[in-house]
Amino acid sequence: MRYSRVLIVGLGYIGLPTATMFAVSGVEVIGNDILESIVATVNSGRSHLGEPTLDRLLAQAVNTHMLHASTEPEPADAFIIAVPTPFKADHQPDISYVESAARRIAPVLAKGNLVVLESTSPIGTTELMAKWLAEERPDLKFPSPGVNDPDVYIAYCPERVLPGRIIKELVGNARTIGGLTPECGRRAIELYKVFVRGDCTVTTARMAEMAKLVENSFRDVNIAFANELSVICDKLGIDVWELREIANQHPRVNILEPGAGVGGHCIAVDPWFIVAAMPEEARLIRTAREVNDAKPYFIVDKVKRVVAGFDHKPVIACFGLSYKPNVRDLRESPAIKIVHMLGKESVGTILVVEDHVCKLPDSLNLPDVRLVSLPEALAKADVLVLLVDHAPFKALEQSSLAGKIIVDARGIWRSGRFRNYSRAAEGEIQTAAA
Ligand code: SAJ
């Protein structure tokens, strides 16, 4: 096999599972991260991600000495860069982590190596990465216009995995591989085929970069459609969830689910890279971002209207903090934004139910906000605000909600779901008494 040693820069949600899969497939892996704490955790065979099946495979990889982590880059046959690419305050992409990762591995590169960028990146980043590497290593030939027989091969290979199902999707999903030359693409396929069972399509790096951004923008635009509908329906007094069920019976209609907003590190970020590149043209993509970012404010307004009906400050229980159901990932969670806004405005005592965490995130360290158990919240709260439809919340009996005022962003506690209750609009304020 051409690749017996792989170095992966960035041991986050993508880098660590990828490192683990290579290691359990017989490739020696060095996991590289600038954070000592992550390196120490990984070297002890544990993961900091809480991802199903990752812990067992990671322990196996470390115990068999196929994976070790370090803060210093080491020589390898192939290098994968999987570092964050956030956006700056003005929604412009920040690719500084990619640049510093590239410059850090440059000293250990050798002729015949392959360097793959996996981070979601603006169009042209892979070419820029080749330029940064060439600046650091003038002794090596990198792919660039006119150089088709480089010493070092470079490709872009974005990931498509869904948090909560990362290992399964890492193996099974199809991959798009963008080579800076066709040979770069072929060599990258050879690397990924070590554990990827899905189809691998080779294209150019720019096409692969755009494909990744488009995939997440497509989902964002579709979620925005659902979120916009939920706001319209709320004003019209129509149950958006029933509407969705009915409209989706059409064979070519598939409306996604409205919610508290769009979180995570991908869908709420990547569309901005297209907007930043084409601000005049990307009108729909920008508007979708704005619609989804506005949804938490809509939910906060609903809660405030409910609270205005009380003659005292009520106890408000907020259900769910993670960015989506049944994961413990809190990154960019709209639920956290909502609880933060409610806490800041001192609308009442706020009880938060989130069994995936043992303490509240720092931004919720506010006087009137407390983390409590599900039974305590149900016993004490006047108002129930459903933000994330975790399985235990879905499983609640109708009787445990009786007498409460409900604001439901996910349509699981709305009256229409329960027999003997009349249907109501998404999030509509109602008393759930029989
Ligand atoms: N959401 C809704 N309604 C829906 C679906 C999702 O409100 O109908 C919300 C979720 O609650 C969450 C956000 O959208 O806050 C994003 O969740 P998600 O499950 O749609 O996506 P992510 O961010 O977990 O993962 C996405 C995936 N991309 C696509 O489905 C196109 C995943 O395949 C990518 O690998 C990942 O982004 C990434 O890393 O780019």
Side-chain angles (χ1 to χ4, degrees):
M1 179 164 50
R2 197 194 299 269
Y3 304 107
S4 52
R5 202 162 196 254
V6 175
L7 182 135
I8 297 182
V9 188
L11 295 177
Y13 275 82
I14 302 306
L16 186 55
T18 304
T20 304
M21 285 314 301
F22 275 115
V24 296
S25 307
V27 174
E28 187 194 343
V29 179
I30 307 130
N32 182 272
D33 204 288
I34 50 172
L35 287 181
E36 299 264 6
S37 56
I38 290 186
V39 166
T41 310
V42 171
N43 279 336
S44 69
R46 288 175 298 124
S47 130
H48 53 291
L49 303 178
E51 185 63 31
T53 65
L54 174 63
D55 290 7
R56 181 178 53 80
L57 294 176
L58 176 63
Q60 179 191 331
V62 172
N63 293 339
T64 54
H65 305 290
M66 293 306 287
L67 168 63
H68 76 271
S70 130
T71 52
E72 289 305 314
E74 298 172 28
D77 305 311
F79 296 78
I80 294 177
I81 295 182
V83 294
T85 44
F87 57 66
K88 302 178 200 162
D90 55 358
H91 292 135
Q92 293 295 315
D94 175 1
I95 54 170
S96 58
Y97 296 107
V98 176
E99 177 170 1
S100 63
R103 294 197 191 275
R104 276 211 336 273
I105 60 166
V108 298
L109 287 182
K111 195 168 177 205
N113 281 173
L114 167 72
V115 181
V116 179
L117 177 62
E118 274 215 25
S119 313
T120 303
S121 298
I123 316 302
T125 308
T126 313
E127 288 157 1
L128 270 177
M129 185 176 79
K131 183 175 106 29
W132 295 323
L133 292 171
E135 282 167 11
E136 298 292 325
R137 292 296 301 271
D139 56 317
L140 290 171
K141 232 179 342 160
F142 291 86
S144 62
V147 179
N148 288 320
D149 59 337
D151 292 331
V152 175
Y153 300 87
I154 294 186
Y156 179 68
C157 182
E159 51 77 24
R160 283 177 168 149
V161 296
L162 203 63
R165 295 214 304 244
I166 289 184
I167 294 292
K168 192 165 175 276
E169 295 210 355
L170 212 46
V171 174
N173 284 0
R175 302 286 293 233
T176 309
I177 296 184
L180 281 189
T181 66
E183 179 59 15
C184 293
R186 271 192 290 277
R187 290 192 179 227
I189 284 209
E190 214 181 309
L191 174 66
Y192 282 93
K193 275 296 178 189
V194 166
F195 69 81
V196 171
R197 298 290 160 259
D199 288 344
C200 294
T201 305
V202 179
T203 180
T204 62
R206 289 173 76 84
M207 178 67 85
E209 287 162 346
M210 186 63 171
K212 172 69 193 178
L213 300 181
V214 163
E215 287 162 15
N216 279 352
S217 300
F218 174 86
R219 193 152 171 85
D220 197 43
V221 167
N222 281 280
I223 297 170
F225 182 77
N227 276 333
E228 184 165 295
L229 270 187
S230 72
V231 174
I232 292 170
C233 285
D234 187 69
K235 300 236 151 84
L236 291 174
I238 290 173
D239 179 351
V240 72
W241 298 94
E242 186 181 350
L243 173 72
R244 187 175 162 265
E245 266 172 45
I246 292 169
N248 282 350
Q249 287 170 0
H250 186 293
R252 285 171 295 284
V253 173
N254 182 16
I255 301 169
L256 296 184
E257 295 174 351
V262 167
H265 255 209
C266 313
I267 294 194
V269 175
D270 305 354
W272 287 118
F273 293 5
I274 299 182
V275 176
M278 289 290 141
E280 294 293 318
E281 292 78 6
R283 292 183 296 157
L284 182 61
I285 297 172
R286 178 203 299 274
T287 303
R289 275 286 65 248
E290 289 166 354
V291 167
N292 286 333
D293 277 352
K295 193 67 196 287
Y297 297 93
F298 171 81
I299 305 284
V300 168
D301 270 0
K302 286 215 76 112
V303 177
K304 278 162 63 182
R305 269 187 279 145
V306 166
V307 168
F310 280 79
D311 55 7
H312 61 282
K313 279 195 175 180
V315 178
I316 303 160
C318 294
F319 293 80
L321 272 192
S322 58
Y323 86 92
K324 65 177 186 178
N326 307 318
V327 298
R328 72 167 207 209
D329 193 338
L330 302 183
R331 294 177 299 167
E332 306 299 327
S333 171
I336 294 182
K337 277 189 207 126
I338 290 167
V339 176
H340 177 80
M341 286 189 267
L342 293 173
K344 276 280 193 203
E345 299 205 22
S346 302
V347 290
T349 300
I350 298 177
L351 307 178
V352 178
V353 186
E354 178 50 272
D355 284 349
H356 293 93
V357 299
C358 48
K359 81 181 214 354
L360 288 175
D362 291 346
S363 68
L364 300 186
N365 193 3
L366 298 166
D368 287 333
V369 183
R370 270 197 309 127
L371 185 66
V372 300
S373 67
L374 178 56
E376 182 178 346
L378 290 174
K380 293 187 175 161
D382 305 300
V383 180
L384 310 183
V385 184
L386 190 283
L387 299 174
V388 187
D389 48 330
H390 290 316
F393 306 155
K394 274 181 136 165
L396 280 178
E397 290 293 326
Q398 163 191 351
S399 55
S400 46
L401 311 176
K404 310 289 186 187
I405 303 220
I406 297 175
V407 177
D408 179 357
R410 294 292 287 177
I412 62 168
W413 291 347
R414 74 195 200 282
S415 53
R417 268 184 67 86
F418 299 126
R419 263 185 313 126
N420 303 326
Y421 282 70
S422 62
R423 291 192 182 272
E426 183 264 323
E428 189 179 325
I429 304 155
Q430 62 200 281
T431 303

